[in-house]
Amino acid sequence: MGNSLWYKNAVFYEVYVRGFKDSSNDGNGDLIGLIEKIDYLQELGIDCLWLLPIYPSPLIDDGYDISDYCSILPDYGTLEDFKALLDAAHKRGMRVITDLVLNHTSDQHPWFQAARVNRNSPYRDFYVWSDTDQKYQDARIIFLDTEKSNWTWDEAAGQYFWHRFYSSQPDLNYDNPAVQNEMLSVIEFWLELGIDGFRVDAVPYLYQREGTNCENLPETHAFLKRIRRFIDDNYSDRVLLCEANQWPQDVRSYFGDGDEFHMGFNFPVMPRIYMALRKGERAPLVDILEQIPDIPPDSQWCTFLRNHDELTLEMVTEEEREWMWQEYGPEPRMRQNLGIRRRLAPLLGNNKRKIELAYSLLFSLPGSPVIYYGDEIGMGDNIWLADRNGLRTPMQWDAGPNAGFSRAIAEKLYAPLVSSQEFGLNQVNVAAQRRDINSLWHRIRNMIRLHKENHVFGWGEFRWQDAGNDAIAAYWRTLSERSLLIINNLSPDSQNIRLRMPEACASEPVDLLSGRKMGKFEEGDLVLKLQPFQFLWLNILKI
Ligand code: BGC
């Protein structure tokens, strides 16, 4: 498609293939099902699909435990189906990236199976072994609810092995050049097939060094830069998206000097959006945005509201975490590890205006937005399912049997549909929202269109505008002559505001979202009344 910076201004959609559309009627979504729904995604305005892991796996971590890196989980289809998906997407000008899990394999991977039974196997050194469980004590445990240590004893191996996630996910040993080469071959395999890049999973943890917390080590950056070089030398228009759940300076390091990742998830901003919405104050956003360092000009943040994991509270203070748990996870069952296992709509009390406001922030703050499947219609969750499965229930397409997800009998579905009064298929489904011009789906579709049409969002500067009112998050997005003033009322009350404009402006700003003229200038000030949770994207002509 010949546009190497396409990701700067793209809208991403995170797809859980198992939950999207079942074409074979076995109760599991699959790649052909996704192809059947690709026109829907195009209609929504999506530029790039990010597929959660699609590889063979024992599914202890829903596919993030890979047992074969170069084929497709049979439930999801075949490599041929995957190629057909790429074709279907590319024909529509859409791109596809997949998850690349570098840090660990499944314990069912043939490498680990060979490694554990034979100390002399070339695969032994693919993993990190020790006679004691005392090394690297400064490394935190991530899956706190289930894991007591980052070391697990393996009887057949007669040693402990290292793992940062579930004990069924042994970490690979990147000190071994053979591991590096194997993973580069995996990368090559998928790029040769034609994928447009990778969302690279859990990148901070590739190396271990005594006396450190074993995160963000220089060796890790060196290997990631090697991947980038390999891609730059051999391919064009591909993207590497970094999953590093870290504080701003540490996330920043993954962009390098424009020679590591093209994109990185903006983990620090995400929980502050929820804080700002709950407090009805812009302060949490102002604080965190001040701390976000500049990134190289060709790089881009990925902003998101929710994803397939718990809403992580690792990158907030202890006090903030307690507050977030109280406000957003009052039931113990809602809490998981250091986070909250709920979807966007339930988190925001299913308040449509508030959900739209959250999207206004998502689409107008710096970065390329990522939408989690189902959140475009405000799907609910099921906190009673194990692990994070309650965030991964079948997509609700219509009010028919199994919400149009599958024609299998309901008992055969991989997970039950959400069936609550509030979020069941009769209340929340794509077909109904497509028919209703005022639905959340239509609002989001409009924001996606405007985000793409207005390059200020992907490319422009960001600058706060003082509104003299803590409840208002107002900011400029500017790119050469073009200026948009975004005004979000974070409060549940209406607000009269008076904005002192930095420069003289022409009268009658127009709200891009509604096409209406909004507010008026009085002595150079913009005077407006905002409804509860109202937001405006004003096109302001400077004189
Ligand atoms: C993924 C999780 C997964 C973990 C281990 C994460 O960052 O998003 O879903 O459990 O990596 O692979």
Side-chain angles (χ1 to χ4, degrees), residues 14 50 52-53 61-65 99 101 103-104 142-143 165-166 169 199 201-203 205 243 245 267 307-310 387-388 392:
E14 180 186 354
W50 152 31
L52 293 179
D61 189 8
D62 217 349
Y64 282 95
D65 45 337
D99 245 290
V101 184
N103 183 67
H104 44 265
I142 298 168
F143 283 172
F165 295 92
Y166 286 129
Q169 291 166 300
R199 177 264 191 191
D201 184 62
V203 296
Y205 320 110
E243 192 224 9
N245 185 1
F267 275 100
N307 63 20
H308 63 290
D309 289 326
E310 70 274 24
D387 203 339
R388 291 146 289 178
R392 304 175 186 177

Side-chain angles (χ1 to χ4, degrees), residues 127-162:
Y127 296 90
V128 182
W129 302 98
S130 169
D131 291 331
T132 80
D133 59 358
Q134 294 305 305
K135 287 165 81 176
Y136 315 133
Q137 289 299 307
D138 297 335
R140 67 189 164 121
I141 294 168
I142 298 168
F143 283 172
L144 277 169
D145 289 358
T146 49
E147 304 305 313
K148 298 286 161 274
S149 166
N150 287 322
W151 292 106
T152 290
W153 177 257
D154 187 88
E155 205 50 57
Q159 279 190 306
Y160 292 93
F161 66 89
W162 178 252

